[in-house]
Amino acid sequence: MVKQVKNAVKAAKRKLHTGRRGNPGNAAKYITRNKALNRLQIKLPEFRRLCILKGIHPREPKKKFEGQNKTYYHVKDINFLLHEPLLEKSREIRAYEKKITKARAKYNTDLAHRLQNNRPSFTLDHLVKERYPSFIDAVRDLEDPLTMIHLFATLPADTTHSVPFERVHSCRRLSLEWQAYVTRTHSLRKIFVSVKGIYYQVEVSGQKITYLTPHVLNQVLPEDVDFRVMLTFAEFYETLLGFVNFKLYHSLGLNYPPVLDPRLEQAAAELYALMKDLAGGTTSAPLLEDASAKEDDAPVSVDEQQSLMEAENKEKRIAESQARLASLQDRLKQIEKEKEKPQDVPVQVKTEAMDVDDVIEDEDLETRTCRRLFQNLTFFLGREVPRESLLFVIRSFGGAVSWDGDGAPFPENDEVITHQIVDRPTQGHKFLSRHYVQPQWVYDCANNRILLPTEPYLLGRIPPPHLSPFVDNEAEGHVPEYADTIKRLRLAANQQLAPLPGSESGIDEGELLVAAAARRREDLEAEKERELAAMEKSYAEDLRRELAGKSFSGEEEALADVPESEVLPPPKEDDPKDMAKMMLSRNKRNLYQAMEMSNTKKKEEVKLIKERKRKADEKERKKKTRTM
Amino acid sequence: MAASDDDALQVLSGDDQDDGAYSSDFEEEEADSGEEEADLDEEEGDFDDEDEEDEDSDEEDGAADGNVEANDSANHEEIREALLDYIGNGNAGADGDEESDDREAADESDSSEDEAPPRNTVGEIPLEFYKDEEHIGYDRAGRKLKKQARKDQLDSFLDRSDDPKDWHKVYDEYNDEYVELTKEEMGMISRIRQGKLPHAEVDAYQPYVDWFDWDGKGHPLSNAPEPKRRFIPSKWEAKKVVKLVRALRKGWIKLDKPKEKPRFYLMWGDDLKVNEKTANGLAYIPAPKAKLPGHEESYNPPVEYIPSEEEINSYQLMYEEDRPKFIPKKFDSLRHVPAYAEFIKEIFERCLDLYLCPRTRKKRLNIDPDSLLPKLPKPKDLQPYPTTCFLEYKGHTGAVSSISADPTGEWLLSGSRDGTVRVWEVQTGRCKKVWDMGGSVFCVAWNPNPALPVVAIAVSNDVVLLDPEVGDEEVQLNIAKLLAVQPSTSEPTENTPLIGWKRHDKLRGIQLSHQQNVVRVSWHNKGDYFVSVSPDGNNRAVLVHQLSKQQSQNPFRKHHGRVADVLFHPARPFMFVATKMHVRVYNLAKQELSKKLITGLQEISSMALHSGGDNLILGSKGAKLCWFDMDLSVKPYKTIKNHKEDINAVAFHKSYPLFASCSDDLSTHVFHGMVYSDLMQNPLIVPLKILHGHQKGERSPSGSSMLQSYPATSPGVSDIKFHPTQPWLFTAGADSVIKLFCN
């Protein structure tokens, strides 16, 4: 075998060098798929698997020497595959499988069993290192892996499609670890809830990674999807993400497979457990096992608080000792529970917030704003909202969260809760001290980095449109109304924050934000009126200018409004562009036309959108007048 | 086994102490396995017992019976063997009898030591050795045993006859004596001879007594002694152990499970170096990233992003590939959002793209399209050129097909489909003269020689030469002379003339009748020769006429395609013949083809020559304009697709660097076309102005006339001519108006 391989490589090399002097031709550089299969002596599914794992893709030769409908690979790629240890390993595994089937066929059950248990295994570590020689390379290519891993984390383990439960399990674990890291470093930047799922944009090592996660609902496995391909990808991505996670945790000085609190894990709150682990036990709030017990449980002595603070100071502790410490604390609590008298929970929640408030060194502005957005806000999630997503977002932006369910850090009737996230038509009992908002409020606040007024998002209302944070509205040509509103709010918030640059404590700032938001709400109406007046004014001015024959602002819109009879036919000026267009060569002309076409198409789309908007506004106005 | 193991292990531990742990482990395991085996045996035994218990007792009895029978048959065999011995001895002859007796006696002497042993001690040697000796052997004391004296025949006979017992005496050769058989022995012999057992007292068929107690026992226990191999160490086991030990030492066998290594480790260091090349030395082409979602993908998009019902319905009318793949939809609340059914499929397709799609680096131009446009000098700097409509010459009732300006620039000649030819005063727009030609006029041409103001008019099949009556009297006289048809001087010659130069009856002029429609007439610069083109005339498509001699000639035997236009070179004896796709340049002096210009156009419609004669422009039906620099190449120097519809005419200015083209799209394009005298510098072409103003005329139906190839008039601007001295442009339109554009 080895000899064969060597010969094949030699032949390939010879071929590569026998072309024209200097540069080998296409025929020497490229090889069709079937020829590659022959050279590698493997079957197509195996070849595809290897290609997926090695990241080898077909290429487009300048001249397709064997026909248009063939797939071409680079000879170097194929020779690269030829040396792949996995190739030999897969052969070995195939031979081994034959042994097992043989033993089974001969009813040699114990041999079959033994063989089954001692299967040769393989790892993809070397492929990760080979494909991504440096960490930044891996981070750059992380979008597809994250999407895939998050998808597999929600898939049902299914035997008919051979989705093994181990894979699902490990994908879930990896996705949670990733989210825990993002939360810890506050590197979540943008969130977008689309029909397809939820997009998250994360900034890791200076790279912006946008990935899509499905809505947490039951996924139906379609029949026309080849799950073997998906699983092969998932296999590689799993390894990759594992190593990336390790590196990321390592950079924080944490031990990699983080230790989960088994109680939280059982309560299906792994993400919270992970976050807790990463936060180093300082944020460990007692679980809501039973309400009464919790109340006793909460007021852990001042001594313990002290010890926790001390522990916090030692930043370079390893996670294992943390876990041990956490369990020790639990035991301590158990003991002290019997001795001490209850106080109240919020003290701890406050300390949690205080702990987070420490100014972290070498943190950029963006991260700081993200970290402080929800600071001093405490959220409670209803049963009906996507818990994991909201937990992820709120914690990433510095808020404290609890939820309705097992393993929650504090109960619903806690005084300290400022916002309750609900998504139901009506709410039975309402606390006056808190806002009942829909989940979209959290996402919109996070995207815009300000606390938006909660009115439009209140319980039972249809929330304002949820805008994509990935769109540059100005470049696109159409700015949605709500985007304008948000922009104004942001400006206002910035101005109000500006005169107080000295405010060091996050609490003040946060309060300021809230206060600013409240003021803004009041000002909103007045502002709108002012805006209307301004618009009218500008319109009048435009009219005057137009009559004077000058150019005016908002040319197109104004044109549309003015009746045609009033508009003088424009003097037929020769467009210098038309002249220049004549002189283009054919290739450039085609290119120019294609560009123009795409531009006009875009403009058409924008026009269509504007038209729709106009119609909708008209409808609204009519409705209003009718009701009046 | 255990002992051998111990030995091997002792050796092992003696060799190196490090393996001690292993060896002890191994021992334990061995012991374990031994126990297991024992257990297994026991189990098996139990299993067997159970089986037997299950079986019927009847069967057991049967088995026992079988055993008995087997024993019986064994007995029989023993007896038969003994008998055979006897018989063999008996058959051996009388000599052997004595010996056998002796042996028997020896056998029997086991019990009675007193009986006399054989005297001779030589042993079992051939007795021939002693044949010639006097003794037969030695006795126990080593004394020689003397042979008995041989009795002669007679004596022995006598003895035999004397002794009545002689017949049961047997000679023992070994001891050299006669042995007397006893009565029992005799009986034995006789019984053997009869085929009976030798001993009368032995009953061969006595009833079998089974001494073994079968009840409750599986099988008879063997009381065979323990074999030796049970007490010595097994060689094979020792070998096996050595093998195992070696495997252990070399690490081929690992007893304890390998330690679970942590699956992930620190793979990358801290360097943030970016690698552009993959491990196989090829440039890494990252997969294109997925497009980021816009507002329309939101679960709660702004109203304006949601298409109305009609729009959604209209998608059905679109082609499959044009249809939008994603239709925005609004949900009132997050809890109403369902799972996206296509999610897995979309991810799967992305996977397929990742490993099945060929990847190439493509340069994506993300630039303003205007940056592609060439930088041209401003038209303002290239003045003068015609910009505005100054005058309109109205009077024709049909589409104006052709115009031509007088070389002095005072007069303008125009021919129309209404059958009239008019002469206009350029400055005022006054119509000086109208000729009714009695047929539709295709082309008019004013003689470029200012001394000979003659006009050539192509009217259906004829070319008519007329006097526009614009010169002074002397000129008029000259022209009258020229236009007087000479009495056919060529009559005496044998050939009938190609074309008859006849006097035009109605108008004072000359009529040249062709066989087909004449669509073009063009003069040589000197004004003596002119050429007429009738595209359907086959080999007579192009005819050259000489005004002074009133002669016509056909310079070409044959044309390569349908001739569209013909021009004379302004200075040198060249002729340009434009067929459908090529322009051929003939040297008239040498009478040969000098050049063939490859235009790459669909169909040439018109042609114009620069006054220098080295640059040529062509207008085509495909709305393209070609500039040829004939010094440069036979291919176009520049092809400009400026018009939207067919180009009808092109024109060069005689003195200004201007040229123009007019087309059916009602526009006339004016260009700056500078030809430099420096051969190294290419001509500069700058579009200057697009002139509008003509109305759409009606397209005359082609082929409605009896002539098959009656040329159709164009609906747009049909002809243009520059003013000979001023930067002015005349345009003639199908709307029967002629316009003058001035700078």
Side-chain angles (χ1 to χ4, degrees):
Chain A
M1 193 66 229
V2 174
K3 204 172 178 186
Q4 256 178 11
V5 168
K6 270 183 187 166
N7 283 340
V9 172
K10 258 186 209 166
K13 271 185 186 166
R14 223 179 298 131
K15 228 179 178 185
L16 206 66
H17 291 297
T18 47
R20 240 173 293 114
R21 210 188 315 150
N23 50 337
N26 278 327
K29 261 200 252 172
Y30 296 97
I31 183 170
T32 58
R33 195 194 60 195
N34 280 349
K35 282 189 177 170
L37 290 182
N38 282 345
R39 184 176 287 182
L40 294 171
Q41 302 197 350
I42 48 176
K43 294 273 179 293
L44 187 56
E46 181 63 27
F47 176 69
R48 289 198 161 147
R49 202 176 139 264
L50 278 175
C51 280
I52 291 170
L53 294 176
K54 286 278 266 186
I56 285 172
H57 52 80
R59 288 177 195 253
E60 199 98 310
K62 284 212 182 80
K63 196 175 160 201
K64 294 191 166 177
F65 52 94
E66 293 224 26
Q68 284 292 322
N69 51 352
K70 291 259 167 75
T71 316
Y72 293 87
Y73 286 86
H74 203 283
V75 165
K76 276 186 180 175
D77 276 336
I78 299 304
N79 289 342
F80 194 43
L81 273 186
L82 212 51
H83 289 292
E84 176 55 46
L86 268 188
L87 191 69
E88 200 55 39
K89 195 82 196 174
S90 68
R91 288 196 182 108
E92 201 179 292
I93 287 172
R94 214 163 46 237
Y96 198 86
E97 293 291 336
K98 274 183 196 162
K99 278 186 196 168
I100 297 176
T101 42
K102 195 173 175 185
R104 282 225 188 90
K106 295 193 168 180
Y107 299 105
N108 198 347
T109 43
D110 44 339
L111 179 63
H113 192 68
R114 187 143 40 84
L115 287 172
Q116 188 88 23
N117 287 342
N118 294 333
R119 274 196 174 143
S121 65
F122 61 92
T123 57
L124 303 175
D125 304 1
H126 65 288
L127 289 182
V128 174
K129 182 73 181 162
E130 186 183 279
R131 282 176 68 174
Y132 304 110
S134 70
F135 179 58
I136 204 78
D137 294 331
V139 173
R140 272 181 180 183
D141 264 9
L142 220 48
E143 300 201 341
D144 288 313
L146 281 173
T147 306
M148 181 72 103
I149 295 286
H150 278 85
L151 168 65
F152 266 85
T154 56
L155 280 190
D158 186 288
T159 43
T160 52
H161 297 92
S162 61
V163 180
F165 77 92
E166 297 96 341
R167 181 122 301 143
V168 172
H169 199 78
S170 106
C171 282
R172 171 145 178 81
R173 179 72 199 237
L174 283 171
S175 68
L176 291 177
E177 280 165 8
W178 168 261
Q179 287 176 19
Y181 169 80
V182 170
T183 317
R184 167 75 196 263
T185 53
H186 301 283
S187 42
L188 184 60
R189 292 290 174 266
K190 283 170 182 175
I191 311 105
F192 177 51
V193 185
S194 82
V195 171
K196 292 181 180 177
I198 304 179
Y199 288 88
Y200 296 103
Q201 191 173 66
V202 171
E203 195 174 344
V204 172
S205 335
Q207 299 290 330
K208 285 210 164 109
I209 305 159
T210 314
Y211 62 95
L212 174 63
T213 63
H215 289 298
V216 191
L217 292 162
N218 201 11
Q219 296 284 342
V220 179
L221 303 183
E223 291 305 315
D224 51 349
V225 163
D226 186 358
F227 274 89
R228 279 176 308 170
V229 171
M230 299 266 280
L231 281 167
T232 314
F233 269 103
E235 193 181 0
F236 178 73
Y237 287 159
E238 208 184 295
T239 318
L240 172 63
L241 194 60
F243 281 106
V244 168
N245 276 353
F246 189 98
K247 169 80 182 170
L248 292 175
Y249 275 57
H250 181 84
S251 67
L252 288 182
L254 298 171
N255 245 17
Y256 173 53
V259 185
L260 290 193
D261 189 336
R263 279 184 297 167
L264 282 173
E265 207 176 355
Q266 264 195 347
E270 296 104 319
L271 183 56
Y272 182 69
L274 266 172
M275 288 170 177
K276 222 176 86 172
D277 184 58
L278 291 207
T282 50
T283 56
S284 68
L287 304 185
L288 265 187
E289 280 169 340
D290 46 336
S292 61
K294 199 223 84 230
E295 292 214 335
D296 295 359
D297 183 47
V300 198
S301 69
V302 185
D303 297 7
E304 204 214 327
Q305 295 274 339
Q306 200 89 34
S307 76
L308 282 176
M309 293 299 280
E310 281 168 17
E312 164 73 13
N313 290 341
K314 295 178 192 169
E315 286 199 346
K316 300 273 177 178
R317 286 178 314 162
I318 55 166
E320 218 165 37
S321 71
Q322 284 166 7
R324 234 175 287 141
L325 201 111
S327 66
L328 214 142
Q329 283 165 8
D330 285 341
R331 232 170 282 155
L332 253 173
K333 277 178 216 163
Q334 293 286 325
I335 298 161
E336 278 170 331
K337 192 165 71 178
E338 291 154 19
K339 299 177 192 169
E340 294 272 336
K341 284 276 130 188
Q343 286 180 4
D344 62 347
V345 198
V347 178
Q348 241 195 1
V349 179
K350 266 273 184 283
T351 52
E352 179 184 333
M354 295 285 281
D355 291 339
V356 178
D357 192 23
D358 291 342
V359 176
I360 298 167
E361 298 296 325
D362 55 83
E363 176 191 54
D364 58 351
L365 192 70
E366 182 96 36
T367 313
R368 190 171 304 152
T369 46
C370 285
R371 188 164 57 82
R372 288 181 175 172
L373 181 65
F374 290 144
Q375 213 168 34
N376 293 331
L377 298 187
T378 313
F379 293 83
F380 189 83
L381 311 179
R383 261 181 299 118
E384 68 281 4
V385 298
R387 187 215 292 171
E388 231 153 56
S389 168
L390 282 168
L391 181 62
F392 177 42
V393 173
I394 294 171
R395 291 290 300 246
S396 296
F397 285 88
V401 198
S402 179
W403 58 89
D404 189 359
D406 293 339
F410 46 85
E412 190 180 352
N413 53 15
D414 201 319
E415 294 275 309
V416 87
I417 293 171
T418 55
H419 291 80
Q420 185 153 350
I421 314 290
V422 284
D423 192 6
R424 51 180 88 180
T426 51
Q427 172 83 11
H429 176 256
K430 279 192 185 176
F431 291 87
L432 288 175
S433 61
R434 58 181 82 154
H435 301 277
Y436 285 83
V437 288
Q438 297 192 29
Q440 198 194 318
W441 182 79
V442 175
Y443 297 126
D444 282 353
C445 287
N447 282 339
N448 297 304
R449 310 273 194 279
I450 51 162
L451 293 177
L452 294 168
T454 49
E455 256 98 314
Y457 298 93
L458 285 185
L459 183 74
R461 294 196 188 176
I462 292 173
H466 179 57
L467 299 173
S468 166
F470 305 115
V471 178
D472 183 2
N473 285 316
E474 270 75 28
E476 208 69 11
H478 173 70
V479 183
E481 202 179 1
Y482 194 59
D484 251 356
T485 317
I486 288 174
K487 200 177 164 191
R488 242 180 296 113
L489 287 174
R490 271 178 89 164
L491 268 176
N494 285 345
Q495 276 165 7
Q496 273 158 351
L497 281 179
L500 294 163
S503 68
E504 279 163 64
S505 71
I507 308 169
D508 287 358
E509 221 167 289
E511 277 175 3
L512 252 175
L513 258 175
V514 176
R519 242 172 289 148
R520 255 175 273 131
R521 255 170 270 144
E522 289 159 22
D523 291 348
L524 209 62
E525 288 297 310
E527 215 168 288
K528 263 189 183 168
E529 272 174 36
R530 236 178 293 143
E531 199 190 3
L532 265 175
M535 270 174 71
E536 246 171 75
K537 213 174 165 186
S538 75
Y539 180 60
E541 195 149 337
D542 278 348
L543 268 181
R544 223 177 307 130
R545 272 193 194 176
E546 188 203 320
L547 283 177
K550 287 175 202 162
S551 69
F552 46 87
S553 66
E555 202 166 354
E556 288 168 358
E557 284 164 324
L559 256 179
D561 288 354
V562 178
E564 241 175 277
S565 57
E566 284 180 33
V567 184
L568 289 168
K572 267 213 167 172
E573 274 289 314
D574 274 339
D575 191 359
K577 250 195 229 174
D578 283 347
M579 300 292 179
K581 253 191 267 176
M582 280 179 206
M583 301 307 292
L584 287 174
S585 67
R586 193 173 56 187
N587 278 346
K588 276 197 175 171
R589 190 167 55 228
N590 288 346
L591 183 65
Y592 184 86
Q593 277 169 354
M595 279 172 159
E596 262 194 339
M597 206 187 270
S598 74
N599 282 356
T600 48
K601 203 178 165 193
K602 240 180 235 169
K603 271 180 198 159
E604 286 288 311
E605 272 166 21
V606 170
K607 215 169 128 191
L608 179 70
I609 284 169
K610 282 194 166 145
E611 179 65 21
R612 278 186 201 149
K613 175 71 184 159
R614 197 179 57 76
K615 276 184 187 164
D617 284 351
E618 237 166 58
K619 223 185 207 173
E620 193 85 349
R621 221 178 295 138
K622 268 183 196 166
K623 213 187 259 173
K624 234 179 226 172
T625 50
R626 212 174 296 148
T627 49
M628 274 161 75
Chain B
M1 171 172 177
S4 64
D5 276 0
D6 280 349
D7 284 354
L9 291 169
Q10 274 166 14
V11 168
L12 179 73
S13 55
D15 279 348
D16 47 355
Q17 291 296 324
D18 297 4
D19 289 349
Y22 273 111
S23 61
S24 63
D25 281 352
F26 175 65
E27 197 178 11
E28 273 174 25
E29 200 181 79
E30 282 296 304
D32 285 351
S33 64
E35 277 174 20
E36 274 174 18
E37 277 175 18
D39 286 350
L40 275 173
D41 283 352
E42 272 180 18
E43 274 174 18
E44 278 179 10
D46 289 345
F47 187 69
D48 285 353
D49 281 356
E50 276 166 22
D51 264 3
E52 276 194 352
E53 275 168 18
D54 287 347
E55 281 172 8
D56 293 343
S57 57
D58 290 356
E59 269 185 26
E60 211 170 78
D61 289 349
D65 286 350
N67 278 345
V68 171
E69 274 170 19
N71 286 352
D72 276 355
S73 65
N75 283 347
H76 280 301
E77 264 182 22
E78 268 175 37
I79 292 162
R80 201 174 299 143
E81 269 174 24
L83 274 173
L84 280 174
D85 273 359
Y86 273 109
I87 291 159
N89 288 342
N91 286 345
D95 295 346
D97 280 359
E98 210 176 55
E99 192 184 4
S100 71
D101 279 0
D102 264 7
R103 211 176 283 160
E104 221 163 276
D107 284 349
E108 281 165 6
S109 71
D110 286 350
S111 51
S112 55
E113 290 280 338
D114 312 1
E115 275 193 17
R119 290 187 303 138
N120 199 354
T121 58
V122 287
E124 288 185 27
I125 55 164
L127 295 176
E128 287 164 14
F129 294 173
Y130 289 92
K131 203 169 72 182
D132 301 328
E133 301 294 330
E134 287 192 345
H135 55 283
I136 55 159
Y138 307 89
D139 67 355
R140 290 208 169 159
R143 286 165 304 205
K144 284 181 179 171
L145 295 171
K146 290 269 186 190
K147 270 184 188 168
Q148 286 181 0
R150 295 268 169 214
K151 288 175 183 169
D152 53 10
Q153 294 279 328
L154 190 64
D155 284 341
S156 55
F157 177 73
L158 284 177
D159 282 350
R160 224 181 290 162
S161 57
D162 285 348
D163 192 358
K165 285 182 182 175
D166 181 67
W167 65 277
H168 42 129
K169 267 187 184 168
V170 177
Y171 176 69
D172 182 2
E173 207 176 0
Y174 187 70
N175 287 321
D176 193 24
E177 62 185 5
Y178 286 89
V179 181
E180 193 176 336
L181 296 176
T182 61
K183 207 171 185 180
E184 290 82 46
E185 283 167 345
M186 290 299 292
M188 257 184 206
I189 288 169
S190 71
R191 270 201 297 281
I192 285 168
R193 285 206 170 153
Q194 284 163 22
K196 293 176 185 170
L197 290 171
H199 296 280
E201 66 272 16
V202 173
D203 180 7
Y205 302 101
Q206 64 186 334
Y208 174 74
V209 181
D210 193 2
W211 300 107
F212 185 70
D213 181 18
W214 291 94
D215 294 338
K217 296 209 172 53
H219 52 85
L221 289 169
S222 158
N223 61 347
E226 285 278 286
K228 187 182 178 185
R229 63 175 182 275
R230 300 263 163 92
F231 299 97
I232 56 170
S234 159
K235 193 179 170 188
W236 303 111
E237 274 180 3
K239 278 190 173 177
K240 211 173 179 182
V241 168
V242 166
K243 233 184 195 174
L244 285 169
V245 168
R246 187 183 298 141
L248 278 170
R249 266 196 206 148
K250 300 230 165 149
W252 300 332
I253 298 178
K254 288 197 179 85
L255 292 177
D256 34 25
K257 272 200 164 177
K259 240 187 173 180
E260 270 294 294
K261 263 202 282 178
R263 195 174 159 206
F264 300 114
Y265 48 87
L266 190 64
M267 179 173 275
W268 298 287
D270 284 334
D271 59 327
L272 292 176
K273 197 179 63 175
V274 177
N275 294 59
E276 287 303 326
K277 291 234 166 171
T278 51
N280 57 2
L282 296 171
Y284 176 57
I285 307 173
K289 305 218 156 168
K291 206 175 147 259
L292 289 175
H295 297 314
E296 67 279 355
E297 264 189 49
S298 168
Y299 88 95
N300 180 13
V303 223
E304 57 263 36
Y305 287 90
I306 304 161
S308 62
E309 276 297 315
E310 297 97 67
E311 281 170 54
I312 292 171
N313 290 338
S314 74
Y315 294 156
Q316 295 305 313
L317 300 175
M318 288 177 161
Y319 288 112
E320 187 86 33
E321 55 264 28
D322 292 346
R323 236 173 264 170
K325 291 191 177 53
F326 177 81
I327 297 174
K329 208 177 163 193
K330 190 181 177 83
F331 296 95
D332 287 344
S333 164
L334 191 56
R335 70 174 183 277
H336 290 143
V337 182
Y340 185 56
E342 300 284 292
F343 196 96
I344 296 177
K345 202 166 176 210
E346 276 181 14
I347 302 248
F348 174 62
E349 270 160 14
R350 170 78 182 167
C351 287
L352 291 188
D353 284 351
L354 284 179
Y355 86 97
L356 284 180
C357 277
R359 287 189 206 165
T360 43
R361 271 184 198 281
K362 279 236 166 89
K363 260 191 211 159
R364 188 166 291 277
L365 281 175
N366 196 8
I367 52 165
D368 181 25
D370 290 346
S371 63
L372 287 173
L373 297 175
K375 291 273 168 293
L376 294 174
K378 276 182 190 159
K380 214 188 266 175
D381 305 338
L382 301 173
Q383 275 171 344
Y385 57 88
T387 51
T388 44
C389 180
F390 180 68
L391 255 184
E392 285 187 350
Y393 305 90
K394 284 183 181 169
H396 281 294
T397 52
V400 182
S401 54
S402 175
I403 50 174
S404 179
D406 148 42
T408 58
E410 283 176 49
W411 307 100
L412 179 69
L413 183 71
S414 70
S416 161
R417 288 299 164 102
D418 62 4
T420 58
V421 173
R422 286 168 190 256
V423 180
W424 311 84
E425 195 174 20
V426 169
Q427 300 277 355
T428 58
R430 180 176 65 90
C431 180
K432 187 187 171 240
K433 213 173 178 70
V434 182
W435 289 301
D436 189 359
M437 303 306 295
S440 69
V441 180
F442 295 130
C443 188
V444 293
W446 199 296
N447 190 340
N449 186 355
L452 283 175
V454 176
V455 297
I457 301 160
V459 188
S460 57
N461 279 10
D462 304 332
V463 175
V464 181
L465 299 171
L466 291 175
D467 175 16
E469 299 168 7
V470 292
D472 50 19
E473 279 178 21
E474 200 181 331
V475 173
Q476 288 292 329
L477 267 175
N478 267 344
I479 290 171
K481 239 189 244 167
L482 264 177
L483 294 185
V485 175
Q486 297 158 359
S488 55
T489 52
S490 57
E491 253 179 83
T493 59
E494 63 276 23
N495 293 10
T496 50
L498 199 62
I499 298 284
W501 290 59
K502 287 180 288 182
R503 190 185 154 71
H504 197 281
D505 299 331
K506 215 158 60 176
L507 315 160
R508 286 184 297 119
I510 301 177
Q511 183 180 10
L512 290 85
S513 297
H514 290 64
Q515 285 165 351
Q516 304 285 344
N517 272 349
V518 181
V519 295
R520 282 293 152 99
V521 182
S522 75
W523 288 92
H524 186 262
N525 227 15
K526 282 185 181 151
D528 194 18
Y529 289 94
F530 66 95
V531 62
S532 67
V533 180
S534 45
D536 298 317
N538 297 328
N539 59 347
R540 286 187 176 190
V542 177
L543 296 176
V544 179
H545 312 279
Q546 191 177 12
L547 180 62
S548 56
K549 290 188 178 169
Q550 295 195 350
Q551 270 182 357
S552 305
Q553 50 181 319
N554 184 5
F556 303 110
R557 225 173 288 133
K558 165 187 176 198
H559 292 285
H560 304 272
R562 194 182 149 92
V563 179
D565 205 350
V566 176
L567 285 177
F568 283 108
H569 191 280
R572 298 166 63 196
F574 284 113
M575 187 187 241
F576 297 81
V577 180
T579 52
K580 196 177 171 189
M581 289 169 75
H582 304 287
V583 176
R584 288 180 173 79
V585 185
Y586 293 98
N587 189 335
L588 292 175
K590 289 185 183 169
Q591 299 200 341
E592 64 178 17
L593 179 70
S594 109
K595 229 173 234 174
K596 184 181 164 190
L597 307 180
I598 297 151
T599 63
L601 299 175
Q602 274 181 356
E603 189 178 347
I604 296 168
S605 64
S606 56
M607 181 163 60
L609 254 179
H610 187 256
S611 54
D614 280 342
N615 291 280
L616 180 79
I617 51 171
L618 296 172
S620 82
K621 286 272 166 64
K624 273 185 188 165
L625 184 71
C626 276
W627 177 293
F628 281 92
D629 187 344
M630 274 173 296
D631 292 335
L632 204 67
S633 156
V634 293
K635 285 185 179 158
Y637 159 62
K638 200 111 201 169
T639 303
I640 306 166
K641 187 176 162 63
N642 49 349
H643 286 283
K644 292 189 184 71
E645 286 176 54
D646 299 350
I647 291 176
N648 289 324
V650 287
F652 257 118
H653 198 285
K654 274 214 166 68
S655 45
Y656 285 95
L658 290 175
F659 69 97
S661 67
C662 68
S663 135
D664 281 348
D665 62 4
L666 301 176
S667 67
T668 307
H669 292 199
V670 182
F671 293 82
H672 175 86
M674 187 59 154
V675 178
Y676 299 96
S677 54
D678 179 10
L679 283 175
M680 294 309 290
Q681 203 165 0
N682 286 330
L684 171 73
I685 300 171
V686 183
L688 292 175
K689 181 79 187 165
I690 299 172
L691 302 173
H692 297 277
H694 281 283
Q695 304 295 316
K696 190 119 183 150
E698 56 194 63
R699 185 184 282 271
S700 77
S702 75
S704 64
S705 142
M706 61 248 168
L707 283 163
Q708 180 216 340
S709 61
Y710 193 81
T713 48
S714 51
V717 184
S718 49
D719 200 5
I720 47 170
K721 283 283 169 351
F722 275 103
H723 190 277
T725 51
Q726 297 294 324
W728 298 347
L729 183 69
F730 300 103
T731 62
D735 54 352
S736 74
V737 181
I738 303 163
K739 294 188 181 217
L740 170 64
F741 289 90
C742 294
N743 54 329

